[in-house]
Amino acid sequence: MPDSLDFSRQPVLVLGASGFIGSRLAASLAAGTAFRPIAASRRPKPGGVVLDATDPAAMRKAIKGVPRVVNCIAGSNEAMVRSTQALCDAARAQPPGRIVHLSSMAVYGSASGSVQESHEAAAPVSGYGEAKIACEQIIRKYVRDGGDAVILRPTCVFGPGSTQWTTRLARLLEARRIGDLGSAGDGCCNLAFIDDVVAAIVNALDMRGIAGQTFNLSSPAELTWNEFLVRFAKALGATPVKRIAPRMLKLETKLLAPVRKIAGKFRHTPATEAITPSLAALWAQDIRIDSAAAVAALRMPQTTPDAMIAAAVQWLRGPANVSGLEFAS
């Protein structure tokens, strides 16, 4: 029976369904038996719904009669805040059974040490992090007003389909522009495997006793960025792994990053991939995101780093990878 006629499956409106996490979530829901995804995004997608999520009237129409909503919207900081506000305003008039809202570890700013969900943000906080904090505040007000919502905070989402944390790092490793970063790579590597994140989202849709709660989503493996990058490089065949001198990394972030960002707008190659100051700061940040609550309450799977890397490399080398990259075999 086609999904459009299968009324035994609960409809789930997936906002931001053309993005990395949203598209993987929609595919997972479609492959299951409990839920039927309604994929909504700005860009037309086969079988999906075109939606400007910042338009309050369009949002009210989109959520009408839908029992579950997942907010995976990315985009500009303003668009994330406006779309979250439009969602909550619409939900007050016709509340869905639950909203699952995707936030980010960026809300913790430059915090250090072991970080649980109650941890306060530490300055400086990026503009992206500030926008995610503002979105969470909108969701919490909706909960205080009587709504049912759950906030999920993924770390760096890695795996097949991730251009930010898989393709970008692979480009840089293949070009020998990163590798063993020395003391600049001794920060904690907080990765969340895409399949684990999707599983946690799906479980959060109907899980009882979690309304109004917030959960970190991350791998429990304790790795430094150096350890992860060296493993990833070896799996890619980007060997010998280069040791990057501190002065070279500073040159990259301070002087070359702006030039590479401009060049990358015209042609994306390993030579134009920018190593931004924020990326370099993350590699050195001593922050360990504690995801024990999500493992316990949401039954979030715990894929090992080596299994994550193997899946990513298989995707990068496979015919399904449409990034146009060529990797060593």
Side-chain angles (χ1 to χ4, degrees):
M1 182 181 291
D3 279 355
S4 60
L5 300 177
D6 188 355
F7 297 107
S8 66
R9 302 166 71 195
Q10 286 191 64
V12 177
L13 179 64
V14 180
L15 303 176
S18 63
F20 167 44
I21 297 177
S23 62
R24 296 281 292 201
L25 172 62
S28 177
L29 293 173
T33 59
F35 301 103
R36 173 170 56 86
I38 302 172
S41 62
R42 273 184 178 272
R43 297 193 295 272
K45 190 174 181 180
V49 176
V50 178
L51 172 67
D52 177 359
T54 64
D55 182 342
M59 184 65 80
R60 286 193 297 271
K61 182 178 179 181
I63 73 166
K64 187 175 182 180
V66 176
R68 300 287 184 271
V69 180
V70 182
N71 184 10
C72 301
I73 291 174
S76 70
N77 296 341
E78 180 185 8
M80 289 190 295
V81 175
R82 288 179 58 197
S83 59
T84 303
Q85 186 66 64
L87 169 60
C88 289
D89 288 345
R92 285 184 176 87
Q94 42 192 4
R98 173 164 295 165
I99 293 172
V100 178
H101 173 79
L102 264 66
S103 185
S104 167
M105 68 172 284
V107 301
Y108 297 121
S110 60
S112 61
S114 180
V115 172
Q116 296 179 328
E117 289 81 358
S118 60
H119 201 289
E120 295 293 330
V125 181
S126 66
Y128 175 77
E130 293 285 4
K132 285 296 189 180
I133 290 172
C135 290
E136 287 194 9
Q137 291 171 342
I138 293 168
I139 293 290
R140 289 198 184 89
K141 186 175 187 307
Y142 171 71
V143 171
R144 290 195 300 271
D145 292 343
D148 183 332
V150 175
I151 296 172
L152 306 181
R153 294 173 178 165
T155 54
C156 306
V157 184
F158 179 83
S162 170
T163 56
Q164 184 174 12
W165 297 109
T166 300
T167 304
R168 173 172 62 164
L169 295 183
R171 286 178 188 271
L172 293 171
L173 287 167
E174 287 274 297
R176 307 301 197 276
R177 290 179 52 212
I178 60 173
D180 182 344
L181 304 176
S183 60
D186 282 341
C188 295
C189 176
N190 296 281
L191 295 179
F193 188 53
I194 179 59
D195 291 352
D196 297 350
V197 170
V198 167
I201 296 171
V202 174
N203 290 343
L205 289 170
D206 267 346
M207 191 71 68
R208 295 183 179 181
I210 63 169
Q213 294 187 36
T214 299
F215 297 94
N216 292 332
L217 304 184
S218 186
S219 166
E222 295 188 7
L223 286 176
T224 66
W225 278 102
N226 277 333
E227 289 169 336
F228 168 74
L229 291 172
V230 169
R231 289 193 196 185
F232 194 14
K234 289 180 178 178
L236 287 166
T239 54
V241 180
K242 188 174 181 180
R243 177 68 181 263
I244 308 299
R247 58 184 175 79
M248 180 56 67
L249 192 59
K250 286 184 179 180
L251 178 66
E252 281 271 10
T253 58
K254 301 295 184 183
L255 299 178
L256 297 181
V259 176
R260 293 189 193 277
K261 285 184 74 173
I262 294 172
K265 291 181 180 180
F266 299 97
R267 189 183 179 200
H268 235 11
T269 69
T272 60
E273 196 76 55
I275 300 176
T276 62
S278 61
L279 183 57
L282 181 66
W283 289 335
Q285 187 175 359
D286 182 24
I287 180 173
R288 165 56 55 198
I289 303 298
D290 186 336
S291 60
V295 172
L298 301 180
R299 301 196 301 269
M300 184 181 73
Q302 302 173 75
T303 302
T304 66
D306 287 341
M308 293 187 205
I309 290 171
V313 172
Q314 182 179 24
W315 170 72
L316 288 166
R317 291 176 174 158
N321 178 18
V322 295
S323 63
L325 301 179
E326 292 184 4
F327 290 95
S329 58

